[in-house]
């Protein structure tokens, strides 16, 4: 008789427990967050909203308060998300958290997905013309093949 040993975390057994959505304030990222919120609500999963704060190379800011600006972007996103969550309270209940990671968008989302043990990743389609062809964060996440990735237009 073979004994079954519980090895702990296993993806895909009972639906997603953590759905990660990358947000940066763009329209497509906010649509991705809304889509991910719907998934999280239906699956009773935690919605992890992740903003990746850019890291500038040393000397690149030339004294400009760029770090303050990216911090303000994160604060603005949190305020906007909280406001949306309050408006929907009682209509839709979604458990959510907001996280800020540092780095380039791809590396930041990979770190976030690993650290938060994400079961699925939802991102908006790139709104930059050059990224539609090669090198978008979404394409790189799909090619990594580590999570189901949904790209919202």
């Amino acid at each position: 008789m073979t004994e079954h040993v519980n090895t702990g975390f296993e993806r895909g057994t009972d639906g997603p427990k953590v759905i990660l959505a990358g947000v940066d304030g763009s329209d497509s990222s906010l649509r991705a967050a809304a889509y991910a919120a719907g998934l999280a609500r239906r699956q009773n999963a935690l919605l992890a909203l992740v903003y990746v704060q850019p890291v500038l190379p040393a000397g690149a800011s030339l004294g400009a308060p760029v770090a303050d600006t990216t911090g303000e972007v994160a604060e603005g996103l949190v305020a906007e998300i909280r406001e949306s969550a309050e408006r929907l309270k009682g209509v839709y209940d979604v458990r959510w958290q907001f996280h800020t990671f540092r780095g380039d968008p791809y590396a930041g989302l990979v770190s976030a997905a690993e650290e938060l043990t994400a079961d699925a990743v939802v991102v908006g389609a790139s709104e930059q013309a050059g990224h539609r062809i090669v090198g978008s964060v979404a394409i790189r996440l799909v090619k990594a093949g580590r999570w189901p990735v949904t790209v919202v237009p």
Side-chain angles (χ1 to χ4, degrees):
M1 182 172 172
T2 307
E3 184 178 321
H4 176 71
V5 178
N6 184 355
T7 57
F9 180 76
E10 184 179 338
R11 290 181 199 267
T13 54
D14 295 315
K17 298 293 178 221
V18 177
I19 298 174
L20 183 148
V23 292
D24 62 8
S26 66
D27 287 344
S28 68
S29 83
L30 296 176
R31 285 190 298 272
Y35 181 86
L39 287 176
R41 179 182 56 80
R42 288 187 296 279
Q43 296 287 337
N44 196 29
L46 173 67
L47 173 61
L49 298 166
V50 174
Y51 169 64
V52 180
Q53 188 172 8
V55 176
L56 298 171
S61 67
L62 302 174
V66 177
D68 291 344
T69 302
T70 59
E72 287 170 17
V73 169
E75 288 172 21
L77 285 168
V78 170
E80 192 170 336
I81 292 161
R82 280 205 174 104
E83 187 178 298
S84 295
E86 273 306 308
R87 277 196 313 267
L88 296 174
K89 207 173 224 167
V91 178
Y92 296 118
D93 278 331
V94 176
R95 295 177 300 123
W96 64 277
Q97 299 172 342
F98 184 85
H99 300 270
T100 302
F101 283 75
R102 293 178 62 90
D104 71 87
Y106 171 76
L109 289 174
V110 166
S111 294
E114 288 173 350
E115 187 175 313
L116 301 169
T117 343
D119 295 298
V121 177
V122 181
V123 292
S126 177
E127 294 180 352
Q128 296 177 8
H131 281 191
R132 289 202 180 103
I133 301 162
V134 177
S136 79
V137 172
I139 289 171
R140 291 175 67 193
L141 287 167
V142 169
K143 285 183 176 180
R146 293 161 68 184
W147 311 272
V149 177
T150 302
V151 183
V152 176

